[in-house]
């Protein structure tokens, strides 16, 4: 049975939660392998809308084992808030697993995130202020707190005191803030241990054993390819690897066990936060996409920047991730647009680029070269097969497929759970 990696092909908010939900009834485990509560999935089930931030969206599928793996940074307070919220709506959360090796976001990570971002002024990265970056920095600096540390008070206290020796110097002398009391942090973290203990597992071992037993695993990436710390628009990126390779390091499952890589892309493009965005729109077309597509952040409520489909970004995602299938979402948002532009190349100071420039400055100054495709005016939200789409909508999808480097297997044509068109199976060739 397959191990499937699901990633975002653009700058996030592509509709990965819907794709995960589509696969949910066919998989046994859904694994979150990177990020924290700085990104959200919206899943619509009937008349119910669920906004998930830290929890894997597979937690909404009965019978699925949801896993927060070692590559995630966990704000335990947020974890319990989310669990309480969905349990109050009747969702069974008893199967949730949390990796003993996942790192913990503390109060001092959130504080440092906010004050350091303000300190940057015009050079702000556009973080959510939720402590994600500082927690990952501590992980790399080998001064992080792991979930397992909460069950050994002596180790926990040593690590918190060691981390705060330097951080309090920064807070007091550079940022003019009060020092943080280590006891305050330790007491807060210890208050979670009783509830947390039953959730904590050796998730790498369990996932590999599940594959050995013929189970199907879905690895769900937070954020997206263009926000990858190594392969995205650095420094305007997240602090982890949301690309397919991150699924291996973030879960403890080896690369040769991955069978498929599914990338989700909108039929246009959005971005939240700072950084280059070649097809960004500043006119009524951009506002139309924002309003029609309800382009506001699940986690932050921030309005998203909007732009036309960028085939160079999709080809890049296909290459970096080894994409086998694309899921194209929000095709219905383009209904009523007479001519739909698609970026097929960039112009950088008179030089044509058919692939994303490796030089960040070139990418920042890139101007899109568009091809225009005829639009459609018919309502497509009731279509359940590719043949039911208007001819121009079918042609648009087929052109994007030619430009994007992998087949478009699924099309999202409305906000509902069942508003999908399956051209090819995501589980089998």
């Amino acid at each position: 049975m397959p191990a499937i990696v699901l990633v975002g092909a653009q700058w996030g908010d592509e509709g990965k939660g819907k794709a995960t939900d589509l696969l949910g009834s066919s998989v046994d485990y859904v694994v979150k392998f990177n990020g924290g509560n700085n990104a959200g999935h919206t899943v619509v089930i009937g008349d119910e809308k669920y906004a998930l931030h830290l929890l894997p969206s597979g937690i909404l599928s009965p019978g699925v084992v949801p896993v927060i793996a070692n590559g995630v940074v966990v704000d335990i307070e947020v974890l319990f808030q989310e669990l309480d919220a969905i349990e109050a709506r009747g969702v069974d959360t008893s199967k949730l697993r949390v990796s003993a090796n996942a790192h913990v976001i503390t109060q001092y990570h959130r504080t440092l995130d906010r004050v350091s971002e303000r300190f940057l002024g015009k050079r702000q990265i556009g973080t959510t202020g939720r402590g994600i970056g500082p927690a990952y920095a501590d992980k790399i600096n080998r001064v992080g707190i792991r979930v397992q540390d909460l069950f050994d008070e002596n180790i926990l206290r040593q690590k918190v005191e060691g981390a705060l020796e330097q951080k309090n110097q920064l807070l007091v002398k550079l940022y003019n803030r009060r020092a943080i009391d280590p006891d305050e942090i330790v007491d807060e973290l210890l208050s979670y241990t009783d509830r947390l203990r039953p959730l904590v597992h050796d998730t790498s071992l369990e996932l590999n054993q599940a594959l050995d037993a013929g189970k199907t695993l879905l690895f769900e990436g937070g954020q997206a390819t263009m926000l990858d710390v190594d392969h995205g628009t650095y420094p305007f990126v997240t602090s982890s690897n949301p690309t397919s390779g991150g699924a291996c390091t973030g879960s403890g499952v080896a690369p040769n066990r991955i069978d498929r890589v599914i990338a989700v892309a909108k039929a246009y493009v959005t971005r939240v936060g700072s950084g280059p965005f070649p097809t960004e729109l500043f006119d009524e077309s951009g506002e139309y996409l924002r309003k029609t597509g309800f382009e506001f952040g699940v986690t932050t409520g921030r309005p998203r920047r909007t732009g036309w489909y960028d085939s160079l970004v999709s080809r890049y995602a296909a290459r970096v991730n080894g994409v086998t299938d694309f899921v194209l979402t929000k095709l219905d948002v383009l209904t009523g647009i007479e001519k739909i532009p698609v970026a097929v190349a960039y112009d950088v100071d008179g030089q044509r680029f058919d692939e994303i420039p490796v030089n960040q400055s070139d990418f920042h100054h890139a101007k899109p070269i568009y091809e225009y495709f005829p639009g459609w005016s018919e309502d497509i939200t009731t279509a359940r097969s590719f043949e039911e789409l208007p001819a121009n909508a079918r042609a648009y999808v087929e052109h994007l497929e030619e430009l994007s480097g992998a087949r478009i297997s699924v099309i999202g044509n409305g906000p509902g759970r069942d508003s999908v068109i399956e051209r090819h199976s995501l589980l089998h060739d």
Side-chain angles (χ1 to χ4, degrees):
M1 299 299 287
I4 304 161
V5 179
L6 179 71
V7 298
Q10 297 158 335
W11 279 279
D13 308 308
E14 300 95 346
K16 295 184 291 295
K18 182 170 185 175
T20 307
D21 185 57
L22 180 66
L23 289 160
S25 61
S26 304
V27 303
D28 301 294
Y29 285 75
V30 174
V31 184
K32 181 165 182 167
F33 63 81
N34 79 295
N37 57 306
N38 56 336
H41 295 312
T42 299
V43 180
V44 180
I45 302 176
D47 296 329
E48 296 283 322
K49 180 183 284 189
Y50 297 86
L52 303 175
H53 307 282
L54 179 59
L55 293 171
S57 52
I59 201 163
L60 300 174
S61 299
V64 169
V65 179
V67 177
I68 295 175
N70 60 274
V72 179
V73 287
V74 181
D75 187 320
I76 303 174
E77 181 182 8
V78 171
L79 172 65
F80 290 152
Q81 287 173 352
E82 280 200 40
L83 287 173
D84 290 342
I86 65 171
E87 285 170 1
R89 297 170 70 178
V91 176
D92 177 17
T93 65
S94 62
K95 292 185 173 67
L96 177 65
R97 309 282 196 266
V98 177
S99 171
N101 289 337
H103 280 246
V104 174
I105 298 172
T106 69
Q107 175 196 321
Y108 55 77
H109 292 128
R110 293 190 294 271
T111 299
L112 281 166
D113 200 354
R114 290 191 294 268
V115 299
S116 61
E117 184 78 347
R118 282 197 293 269
F119 186 78
L120 288 171
K122 293 180 180 180
R123 294 179 290 112
Q124 287 185 8
I125 294 168
T127 77
T128 58
R130 284 164 167 78
I132 313 296
Y136 274 116
D138 275 5
K139 176 179 178 176
I140 299 305
N141 286 328
R142 293 160 291 185
V143 293
I145 310 295
R146 297 196 293 180
V147 166
Q148 59 180 278
D149 297 330
L150 273 63
F151 306 115
D152 186 326
E153 183 175 348
N154 289 332
I155 290 291
L156 178 64
R157 189 170 298 279
Q158 288 175 31
K159 288 192 171 186
V160 169
E161 289 175 350
L164 282 175
E165 279 183 12
Q166 182 193 52
K167 289 173 175 56
N168 276 333
Q169 295 289 319
L170 279 173
L171 285 169
V172 173
K173 296 181 179 178
L174 181 61
Y175 298 126
N176 197 28
R177 302 282 169 150
R178 72 171 183 87
I180 294 173
D181 183 357
D183 289 340
E184 183 182 332
I185 303 298
V186 171
D187 290 346
E188 180 191 351
L189 294 177
L190 289 176
S191 72
Y192 300 130
T193 55
D194 288 345
R195 187 176 180 186
L196 185 63
R197 192 184 302 272
L199 307 179
V200 178
H201 292 253
D202 182 345
T203 55
S204 172
L205 176 62
E206 183 169 345
L207 293 173
N208 279 280
Q209 289 175 335
L211 285 171
D212 292 340
K215 304 290 187 182
T216 300
L217 276 58
L218 177 64
F219 297 86
E220 173 187 78
Q223 294 91 33
T225 299
M226 300 305 291
L227 295 174
D228 187 282
V229 68
D230 287 294
H231 304 293
T233 50
Y234 191 88
F236 304 101
V237 291
T238 194
S239 303
S240 61
N241 293 110
T243 41
S244 59
C248 299
T249 56
S251 69
V253 172
N256 61 351
R257 307 207 77 168
I258 305 298
D259 297 281
R260 307 186 81 79
V261 178
I262 301 166
V264 186
K266 275 179 186 160
Y268 50 101
V269 186
T270 63
R271 176 166 197 168
V272 172
S274 306
F277 183 1
T279 66
E280 184 171 9
L281 296 166
F282 301 96
D283 56 11
E284 62 273 12
S285 294
E287 193 58 33
Y288 175 84
L289 292 176
R290 187 175 299 110
K291 288 184 176 178
T292 309
F294 303 105
E295 296 298 350
F296 299 89
V298 176
T299 297
T300 63
R302 288 187 288 186
R304 296 171 185 149
R305 300 157 66 189
T306 55
W308 299 119
Y309 190 87
D310 190 327
S311 66
L312 287 78
V313 166
S314 295
R315 282 200 300 279
Y316 180 75
R319 182 173 80 246
V320 169
N321 292 291
V323 172
T324 58
D325 303 83
F326 276 108
V327 173
L328 185 73
T329 61
K330 292 198 171 184
L331 184 65
D332 55 299
V333 174
L334 300 181
T335 299
I337 299 174
E338 187 176 349
K339 287 187 176 181
I340 306 172
V342 173
V344 296
Y346 298 147
D347 179 285
V348 182
D349 297 328
Q351 181 180 357
R352 180 185 173 107
F353 284 80
D354 292 306
E355 302 292 344
I356 288 180
V358 69
N359 187 302
Q360 181 76 6
S361 295
D362 288 341
F363 188 51
H364 186 78
H365 293 101
K367 304 295 182 187
I369 298 172
Y370 288 120
E371 285 186 13
Y372 294 84
F373 299 93
W376 58 91
S377 57
E378 301 92 329
D379 178 14
I380 66 169
T381 57
T382 58
R384 293 298 176 266
S385 70
F386 191 61
E387 292 68 32
E388 291 177 58
L389 291 175
N392 285 350
R394 294 198 304 271
Y396 179 74
V397 172
E398 288 166 348
H399 283 302
L400 295 193
E401 189 172 62
E402 290 172 12
L403 292 166
S404 299
R407 70 184 187 180
I408 294 175
S409 295
V410 172
I411 300 162
N413 59 321
R417 188 181 196 182
D418 60 344
S419 299
V420 291
I421 295 168
E422 294 187 65
R423 298 176 74 206
H424 308 285
S425 170
L426 294 177
L427 290 167
H428 310 288
D429 289 324

